[in-house]
Short mmCIF file of all heavy atoms in Angstrom, two decimals:
data_model
loop_
_atom_site.label_atom_id
_atom_site.label_comp_id
_atom_site.label_asym_id
_atom_site.label_seq_id
_atom_site.Cartn_x
_atom_site.Cartn_y
_atom_site.Cartn_z
N GLY A 277 27.72 46.49 60.74
CA GLY A 277 28.84 47.41 60.71
C GLY A 277 29.74 47.19 59.51
O GLY A 277 29.33 46.62 58.48
N GLU A 278 30.98 47.60 59.66
CA GLU A 278 31.91 47.64 58.53
C GLU A 278 32.18 46.25 57.94
O GLU A 278 32.62 46.13 56.80
CB GLU A 278 33.21 48.30 58.95
CG GLU A 278 34.10 48.69 57.79
CD GLU A 278 35.31 49.50 58.22
OE1 GLU A 278 35.31 50.05 59.35
OE2 GLU A 278 36.26 49.59 57.43
N ASP A 279 31.94 45.20 58.71
CA ASP A 279 32.13 43.84 58.19
C ASP A 279 31.29 43.58 56.95
O ASP A 279 31.60 42.68 56.17
CB ASP A 279 31.78 42.80 59.26
CG ASP A 279 32.86 42.68 60.32
OD1 ASP A 279 33.99 43.15 60.06
OD2 ASP A 279 32.59 42.14 61.39
N LEU A 280 30.19 44.32 56.80
CA LEU A 280 29.33 44.10 55.63
C LEU A 280 29.39 45.26 54.64
O LEU A 280 28.47 45.47 53.87
CB LEU A 280 27.89 43.82 56.06
CG LEU A 280 27.61 42.31 56.17
CD1 LEU A 280 26.29 42.04 56.86
CD2 LEU A 280 27.63 41.68 54.78
N VAL A 281 30.49 46.00 54.67
CA VAL A 281 30.77 46.95 53.60
C VAL A 281 31.52 46.21 52.50
O VAL A 281 32.55 45.58 52.76
CB VAL A 281 31.61 48.13 54.12
CG1 VAL A 281 32.07 49.02 52.97
CG2 VAL A 281 30.80 48.95 55.13
N LEU A 282 31.00 46.28 51.29
CA LEU A 282 31.66 45.62 50.16
C LEU A 282 32.94 46.39 49.83
O LEU A 282 32.90 47.59 49.57
CB LEU A 282 30.72 45.58 48.96
CG LEU A 282 31.12 44.74 47.74
CD1 LEU A 282 29.88 44.32 46.96
CD2 LEU A 282 32.07 45.49 46.82
N LYS A 283 34.07 45.69 49.86
CA LYS A 283 35.36 46.34 49.61
C LYS A 283 36.07 45.63 48.46
O LYS A 283 36.45 44.46 48.59
CB LYS A 283 36.23 46.31 50.87
CG LYS A 283 35.64 47.08 52.03
CD LYS A 283 36.55 47.09 53.24
CE LYS A 283 35.96 47.92 54.38
NZ LYS A 283 36.84 47.98 55.56
N LEU A 284 36.21 46.32 47.34
CA LEU A 284 36.92 45.77 46.20
C LEU A 284 38.42 46.02 46.34
O LEU A 284 38.84 47.08 46.79
CB LEU A 284 36.41 46.37 44.90
CG LEU A 284 34.98 45.96 44.51
CD1 LEU A 284 34.56 46.65 43.22
CD2 LEU A 284 34.87 44.44 44.35
N ASN A 285 39.21 45.03 45.95
CA ASN A 285 40.65 45.11 46.03
C ASN A 285 41.24 45.60 44.71
O ASN A 285 40.58 45.51 43.66
CB ASN A 285 41.24 43.74 46.38
CG ASN A 285 40.73 43.23 47.72
OD1 ASN A 285 40.81 43.92 48.71
ND2 ASN A 285 40.20 42.00 47.72
N PRO A 286 42.46 46.11 44.72
CA PRO A 286 43.08 46.50 43.45
C PRO A 286 43.14 45.32 42.47
O PRO A 286 43.47 44.20 42.85
CB PRO A 286 44.49 46.93 43.88
CG PRO A 286 44.35 47.35 45.31
CD PRO A 286 43.31 46.44 45.88
N GLY A 287 42.77 45.58 41.24
CA GLY A 287 42.81 44.54 40.22
C GLY A 287 41.68 43.52 40.30
O GLY A 287 41.75 42.47 39.67
N GLU A 288 40.64 43.81 41.09
CA GLU A 288 39.55 42.84 41.27
C GLU A 288 38.35 43.22 40.41
O GLU A 288 37.71 44.24 40.63
CB GLU A 288 39.12 42.80 42.74
CG GLU A 288 37.98 41.81 43.01
CD GLU A 288 37.57 41.75 44.48
OE1 GLU A 288 38.07 42.58 45.27
OE2 GLU A 288 36.77 40.86 44.81
N PRO A 289 38.03 42.38 39.41
CA PRO A 289 36.79 42.62 38.66
C PRO A 289 35.59 42.17 39.47
O PRO A 289 35.70 41.28 40.32
CB PRO A 289 36.97 41.76 37.41
CG PRO A 289 37.83 40.63 37.86
CD PRO A 289 38.74 41.19 38.93
N TRP A 290 34.44 42.78 39.21
CA TRP A 290 33.23 42.42 39.96
C TRP A 290 32.00 42.78 39.14
O TRP A 290 31.96 43.83 38.49
CB TRP A 290 33.21 43.17 41.30
CG TRP A 290 31.98 42.95 42.12
CD1 TRP A 290 31.61 41.81 42.75
CD2 TRP A 290 30.95 43.91 42.42
NE1 TRP A 290 30.42 41.99 43.43
CE2 TRP A 290 29.99 43.27 43.23
CE3 TRP A 290 30.74 45.25 42.06
CZ2 TRP A 290 28.86 43.92 43.71
CZ3 TRP A 290 29.62 45.90 42.54
CH2 TRP A 290 28.69 45.24 43.35
N LYS A 291 31.05 41.89 39.15
CA LYS A 291 29.76 42.18 38.52
C LYS A 291 28.66 41.51 39.34
O LYS A 291 28.83 40.38 39.82
CB LYS A 291 29.71 41.65 37.08
CG LYS A 291 28.38 41.96 36.38
CD LYS A 291 28.29 41.29 35.01
CE LYS A 291 29.08 42.08 33.99
NZ LYS A 291 28.82 41.56 32.61
N LYS A 292 27.56 42.22 39.52
CA LYS A 292 26.45 41.64 40.27
C LYS A 292 25.13 42.21 39.77
O LYS A 292 25.04 43.40 39.44
CB LYS A 292 26.60 41.91 41.78
CG LYS A 292 25.58 41.17 42.64
CD LYS A 292 25.94 41.20 44.11
CE LYS A 292 24.98 40.35 44.94
NZ LYS A 292 25.35 40.33 46.36
N VAL A 293 24.12 41.33 39.75
CA VAL A 293 22.76 41.73 39.41
C VAL A 293 21.96 41.84 40.70
O VAL A 293 21.86 40.86 41.46
CB VAL A 293 22.09 40.71 38.47
CG1 VAL A 293 20.65 41.13 38.16
CG2 VAL A 293 22.90 40.57 37.18
N PHE A 294 21.43 43.01 40.97
CA PHE A 294 20.55 43.22 42.12
C PHE A 294 19.10 43.20 41.62
O PHE A 294 18.70 44.03 40.81
CB PHE A 294 20.84 44.56 42.79
CG PHE A 294 22.19 44.64 43.44
CD1 PHE A 294 23.22 45.37 42.86
CD2 PHE A 294 22.46 43.99 44.64
CE1 PHE A 294 24.47 45.46 43.45
CE2 PHE A 294 23.70 44.07 45.24
CZ PHE A 294 24.72 44.81 44.64
N GLY A 295 18.30 42.24 42.12
CA GLY A 295 16.92 42.10 41.68
C GLY A 295 16.80 41.01 40.64
O GLY A 295 17.70 40.19 40.46
N PRO A 296 15.65 40.98 39.92
CA PRO A 296 14.55 41.96 39.96
C PRO A 296 13.68 41.84 41.22
O PRO A 296 13.52 40.77 41.79
CB PRO A 296 13.71 41.61 38.72
CG PRO A 296 14.55 40.72 37.88
CD PRO A 296 15.44 40.00 38.84
N VAL A 297 13.13 42.99 41.59
CA VAL A 297 12.06 43.04 42.59
C VAL A 297 10.80 43.54 41.88
O VAL A 297 10.88 44.12 40.80
CB VAL A 297 12.42 43.94 43.78
CG1 VAL A 297 13.64 43.39 44.52
CG2 VAL A 297 12.68 45.38 43.33
N PHE A 298 9.66 43.29 42.52
CA PHE A 298 8.36 43.62 41.90
C PHE A 298 7.68 44.70 42.74
O PHE A 298 7.57 44.57 43.96
CB PHE A 298 7.49 42.37 41.84
CG PHE A 298 6.20 42.54 41.09
CD1 PHE A 298 6.13 43.26 39.90
CD2 PHE A 298 5.03 41.96 41.56
CE1 PHE A 298 4.94 43.41 39.21
CE2 PHE A 298 3.83 42.09 40.86
CZ PHE A 298 3.79 42.81 39.68
N LEU A 299 7.26 45.76 42.10
CA LEU A 299 6.44 46.79 42.73
C LEU A 299 5.00 46.53 42.32
O LEU A 299 4.62 46.70 41.16
CB LEU A 299 6.89 48.18 42.29
CG LEU A 299 8.26 48.66 42.81
CD1 LEU A 299 8.40 48.44 44.32
CD2 LEU A 299 9.42 48.05 42.06
N TYR A 300 4.22 46.06 43.29
CA TYR A 300 2.88 45.52 43.03
C TYR A 300 1.82 46.49 43.55
O TYR A 300 1.93 47.00 44.68
CB TYR A 300 2.74 44.17 43.71
CG TYR A 300 1.37 43.54 43.64
CD1 TYR A 300 0.79 43.20 42.41
CD2 TYR A 300 0.65 43.26 44.81
CE1 TYR A 300 -0.46 42.62 42.36
CE2 TYR A 300 -0.60 42.67 44.75
CZ TYR A 300 -1.15 42.36 43.53
OH TYR A 300 -2.39 41.78 43.46
N LEU A 301 0.79 46.74 42.76
CA LEU A 301 -0.32 47.60 43.15
C LEU A 301 -1.60 46.79 43.17
O LEU A 301 -1.83 45.93 42.30
CB LEU A 301 -0.47 48.76 42.17
CG LEU A 301 0.80 49.57 41.88
CD1 LEU A 301 0.51 50.67 40.88
CD2 LEU A 301 1.37 50.15 43.16
N ASN A 302 -2.46 47.04 44.16
CA ASN A 302 -3.76 46.37 44.20
C ASN A 302 -4.80 47.33 44.76
O ASN A 302 -4.48 48.39 45.32
CB ASN A 302 -3.71 45.06 45.00
CG ASN A 302 -3.20 45.23 46.42
OD1 ASN A 302 -2.91 46.32 46.89
ND2 ASN A 302 -3.06 44.12 47.14
N SER A 303 -6.05 46.96 44.58
CA SER A 303 -7.14 47.84 45.02
C SER A 303 -8.38 47.01 45.29
O SER A 303 -8.51 45.87 44.81
CB SER A 303 -7.44 48.90 43.95
OG SER A 303 -7.87 48.29 42.75
N VAL A 304 -9.29 47.58 46.06
CA VAL A 304 -10.63 47.01 46.28
C VAL A 304 -11.63 48.15 46.12
O VAL A 304 -11.26 49.34 46.16
CB VAL A 304 -10.77 46.35 47.67
CG1 VAL A 304 -9.97 45.07 47.75
CG2 VAL A 304 -10.35 47.31 48.78
N SER A 305 -12.89 47.79 45.95
CA SER A 305 -13.90 48.82 45.69
C SER A 305 -14.36 49.53 46.95
O SER A 305 -14.74 50.70 46.92
CB SER A 305 -15.11 48.20 44.97
OG SER A 305 -15.66 47.13 45.74
N SER A 306 -14.30 48.83 48.09
CA SER A 306 -14.84 49.40 49.32
C SER A 306 -13.75 49.60 50.36
O SER A 306 -12.89 48.73 50.56
CB SER A 306 -15.92 48.47 49.90
OG SER A 306 -16.31 48.89 51.19
N GLU A 307 -13.81 50.75 51.03
CA GLU A 307 -12.85 51.02 52.10
C GLU A 307 -12.94 49.99 53.22
O GLU A 307 -11.97 49.71 53.91
CB GLU A 307 -13.09 52.42 52.64
CG GLU A 307 -12.13 52.86 53.73
CD GLU A 307 -12.42 54.26 54.23
OE1 GLU A 307 -12.81 55.13 53.41
OE2 GLU A 307 -12.27 54.49 55.45
N ASP A 308 -14.13 49.40 53.39
CA ASP A 308 -14.31 48.40 54.43
C ASP A 308 -13.40 47.20 54.23
O ASP A 308 -13.10 46.47 55.20
CB ASP A 308 -15.78 47.93 54.47
CG ASP A 308 -16.72 49.06 54.88
OD1 ASP A 308 -16.25 50.03 55.51
OD2 ASP A 308 -17.93 48.95 54.56
N ASN A 309 -13.00 46.95 52.99
CA ASN A 309 -12.16 45.79 52.69
C ASN A 309 -10.70 46.16 52.45
O ASN A 309 -9.92 45.35 51.93
CB ASN A 309 -12.70 45.06 51.45
CG ASN A 309 -14.09 44.51 51.66
OD1 ASN A 309 -14.42 44.06 52.77
ND2 ASN A 309 -14.92 44.55 50.63
N ALA A 310 -10.33 47.38 52.81
CA ALA A 310 -9.00 47.87 52.47
C ALA A 310 -7.89 46.99 53.05
O ALA A 310 -6.85 46.77 52.41
CB ALA A 310 -8.83 49.31 52.94
N PHE A 311 -8.10 46.47 54.26
CA PHE A 311 -7.02 45.71 54.89
C PHE A 311 -6.84 44.33 54.27
O PHE A 311 -5.83 43.66 54.53
CB PHE A 311 -7.26 45.62 56.39
CG PHE A 311 -7.32 46.98 57.05
CD1 PHE A 311 -8.47 47.43 57.67
CD2 PHE A 311 -6.22 47.83 57.02
CE1 PHE A 311 -8.52 48.68 58.25
CE2 PHE A 311 -6.26 49.09 57.60
CZ PHE A 311 -7.42 49.52 58.21
N SER A 312 -7.78 43.91 53.43
CA SER A 312 -7.60 42.65 52.70
C SER A 312 -6.51 42.79 51.63
O SER A 312 -6.05 41.78 51.09
CB SER A 312 -8.91 42.22 52.04
OG SER A 312 -9.27 43.12 50.99
N LEU A 313 -6.10 44.02 51.34
CA LEU A 313 -5.05 44.23 50.35
C LEU A 313 -3.74 43.59 50.81
O LEU A 313 -2.91 43.18 49.98
CB LEU A 313 -4.86 45.72 50.09
CG LEU A 313 -6.05 46.44 49.45
CD1 LEU A 313 -5.83 47.95 49.43
CD2 LEU A 313 -6.29 45.92 48.03
N TRP A 314 -3.52 43.51 52.12
CA TRP A 314 -2.32 42.85 52.64
C TRP A 314 -2.35 41.36 52.30
O TRP A 314 -1.33 40.80 51.85
CB TRP A 314 -2.21 43.07 54.14
CG TRP A 314 -1.25 42.14 54.84
CD1 TRP A 314 -1.55 41.15 55.72
CD2 TRP A 314 0.18 42.14 54.73
NE1 TRP A 314 -0.42 40.52 56.16
CE2 TRP A 314 0.67 41.11 55.57
CE3 TRP A 314 1.09 42.90 54.00
CZ2 TRP A 314 2.03 40.81 55.70
CZ3 TRP A 314 2.46 42.60 54.13
CH2 TRP A 314 2.91 41.58 54.97
N GLU A 315 -3.48 40.71 52.51
CA GLU A 315 -3.58 39.28 52.18
C GLU A 315 -3.36 39.06 50.70
O GLU A 315 -2.69 38.10 50.28
CB GLU A 315 -4.93 38.72 52.63
CG GLU A 315 -5.13 38.69 54.13
CD GLU A 315 -4.13 37.77 54.83
OE1 GLU A 315 -3.76 36.73 54.23
OE2 GLU A 315 -3.72 38.10 55.95
N ASP A 316 -3.93 39.94 49.88
CA ASP A 316 -3.73 39.82 48.44
C ASP A 316 -2.26 40.01 48.07
O ASP A 316 -1.73 39.31 47.20
CB ASP A 316 -4.60 40.84 47.70
CG ASP A 316 -4.37 40.82 46.21
OD1 ASP A 316 -4.81 39.85 45.56
OD2 ASP A 316 -3.74 41.76 45.69
N ALA A 317 -1.59 40.95 48.72
CA ALA A 317 -0.16 41.17 48.46
C ALA A 317 0.66 39.95 48.83
O ALA A 317 1.62 39.59 48.13
CB ALA A 317 0.32 42.41 49.21
N LYS A 318 0.31 39.30 49.93
CA LYS A 318 1.02 38.07 50.31
C LYS A 318 0.81 36.97 49.27
O LYS A 318 1.75 36.23 48.93
CB LYS A 318 0.56 37.58 51.69
CG LYS A 318 1.04 38.43 52.84
CD LYS A 318 0.89 37.70 54.16
CE LYS A 318 -0.55 37.29 54.43
NZ LYS A 318 -0.70 36.55 55.68
N ASN A 319 -0.42 36.86 48.76
CA ASN A 319 -0.68 35.86 47.71
C ASN A 319 0.13 36.16 46.46
O ASN A 319 0.66 35.25 45.81
CB ASN A 319 -2.18 35.82 47.38
CG ASN A 319 -3.01 35.22 48.49
OD1 ASN A 319 -2.51 34.40 49.27
ND2 ASN A 319 -4.27 35.62 48.59
N GLN A 320 0.23 37.44 46.12
CA GLN A 320 1.03 37.82 44.95
C GLN A 320 2.51 37.51 45.20
O GLN A 320 3.22 37.06 44.29
CB GLN A 320 0.85 39.30 44.63
CG GLN A 320 1.56 39.74 43.35
CD GLN A 320 0.97 39.09 42.12
OE1 GLN A 320 -0.25 38.90 42.04
NE2 GLN A 320 1.82 38.77 41.15
N MET A 321 2.97 37.73 46.43
CA MET A 321 4.35 37.39 46.77
C MET A 321 4.61 35.91 46.55
O MET A 321 5.65 35.51 46.01
CB MET A 321 4.64 37.77 48.22
CG MET A 321 6.02 37.39 48.73
SD MET A 321 6.08 35.73 49.46
CE MET A 321 5.11 36.00 50.94
#
Side-chain angles (χ1 to χ4, degrees):
E278 194 173 342
D279 284 343
L280 265 168
V281 172
L282 189 155
K283 297 183 178 181
L284 291 179
N285 300 308
E288 180 179 8
W290 177 69
K291 181 186 281 189
K292 188 167 185 178
V293 178
F294 293 106
V297 297
F298 186 42
L299 290 312
Y300 175 62
L301 309 179
N302 56 3
S303 62
V304 289
S305 57
S306 171
E307 182 180 323
D308 295 339
N309 297 324
F311 300 116
S312 68
L313 295 171
W314 164 249
E315 293 297 325
D316 177 73
K318 288 196 302 178
N319 290 333
Q320 185 66 37
M321 176 271 291

